[in-house]
Amino acid sequence: MPQLLQNGVRWLDGMLADLNAKSAKGSASITSTADSIALRNGQAPAKRTAATNIRALVAGGTISNPIVLAELTADATKLDADANKFDAYVEQNLPVLAQTQSYVAAVGSVIASLATITTGPTALTAFTFTSKTAGHATFSATTSANAKNALVTLWRMEEGEDFDSNKAVLSTSTAATPSTTYSLTDGNATLVPAGTWDFFAVPSNTYGYPGPVSGPVRVTVS
């Protein structure tokens, strides 16, 4: 809410509270501005009504003019114009403000959904080497109980290098479900070159977003 509106509503609310405390019994009632934003059908907005009542109190001698509240001073004859400006602003911008709040809520919902979509499953509970033959290496990978588990991928990298999917060789992958053990073999499509390699396994969700990397498990293939 722009500072002008905040200041105006705060000032009028403070003025009304102060004047209500000072007004004598039987004097004109001063309307609160708390419901002014509602702008109910056919009724004068609260701030405008307040300005009218303040002028009545000035005219009746209950309060003096100019009106002083804390460090603020106002002329009762100008309150109408100021109140009208505030009411016009609210009238014009309330739908926009309401739409903005709805938009922010919608964006928040989308962000929350994206956070769920882009968060991969929790780490594998186990990743171990099981066997090898010429040009092949087989591993066992067990998914966690996390419901996001949808895929497990086996990767091969040069010995001693940190995992980097841009540099690693995608060995194989398999569709996955939670709390399940899978056998993953590198070399079925293309034989693993002879040498010592570091292998990694990564679980992913339905949208392909990965969870934590497991490994390395170092294996020498002949």
Side-chain angles (χ1 to χ4, degrees), residues 123-150:
L124 298 172
T125 57
F127 174 53
T128 58
F129 166 71
T130 57
S131 66
K132 65 179 179 178
T133 58
H136 295 78
T138 300
F139 302 82
S140 173
T142 303
T143 56
S144 68
N146 190 276
K148 293 182 178 181
N149 278 295

Side-chain angles (χ1 to χ4, degrees), residues 44-104:
K47 290 185 294 299
R48 203 171 302 159
T49 303
T52 300
N53 289 334
I54 290 171
R55 286 205 324 279
L57 289 177
V58 169
T62 304
I63 57 176
S64 59
N65 190 53
I67 305 159
V68 178
L69 178 64
E71 73 280 8
L72 298 172
T73 301
D75 188 323
T77 60
K78 296 180 180 178
L79 285 177
D80 251 351
D82 291 339
N84 285 341
K85 288 178 183 177
F86 291 132
D87 284 329
Y89 179 86
V90 172
E91 229 168 357
Q92 177 181 350
N93 291 281
L94 183 60
V96 176
L97 294 174
Q99 288 173 12
T100 300
Q101 288 178 336
S102 298
Y103 174 75
V104 169

